[in-house]
Amino acid sequence: MTPREIAAQYGVHNQLRGGGWLHLKPGQVPVDIGNTVRRNLLQFRKTGNPEAPYSDHDAGNGAAMRTLPVALATFG
């Protein structure tokens, strides 16, 4: 939902809510890795190369970005 849609439906955003198209529980993080990450993981499995070729269909992946702090905190 956009900020305007959230305000129209809930007023002040003062608690974690679940729902959405993935029917998440309140506070649950997104469980879908997205097409960009999926495509690159498949490419890595096939070639062993961690870099996949550019695609016009690539987009950001919020789920992967939200795991970055955990990865950095536990790295090494």
Side-chain angles (χ1 to χ4, degrees):
M1 297 175 77
T2 66
R4 186 170 290 169
E5 291 169 333
I6 292 170
Q9 185 165 347
Y10 299 108
V12 175
H13 183 68
N14 60 4
Q15 68 181 30
L16 294 176
R17 300 183 185 270
W21 67 277
L22 290 172
H23 307 288
L24 301 177
K25 296 176 184 172
Q28 185 179 6
V29 298
V31 296
D32 182 26
I33 63 171
N35 290 328
T36 301
V37 173
R38 181 176 293 112
R39 184 178 67 82
N40 286 286
L41 287 174
L42 291 172
Q43 178 72 13
F44 177 72
R45 280 185 184 169
K46 287 169 37 177
T47 67
N49 183 355
E51 296 180 28
Y54 172 81
S55 169
D56 285 331
H57 301 287
D58 285 350
N61 189 284
M65 288 185 280
R66 282 185 282 281
T67 63
L68 180 61
V70 175
L72 292 176
T74 59
F75 183 70

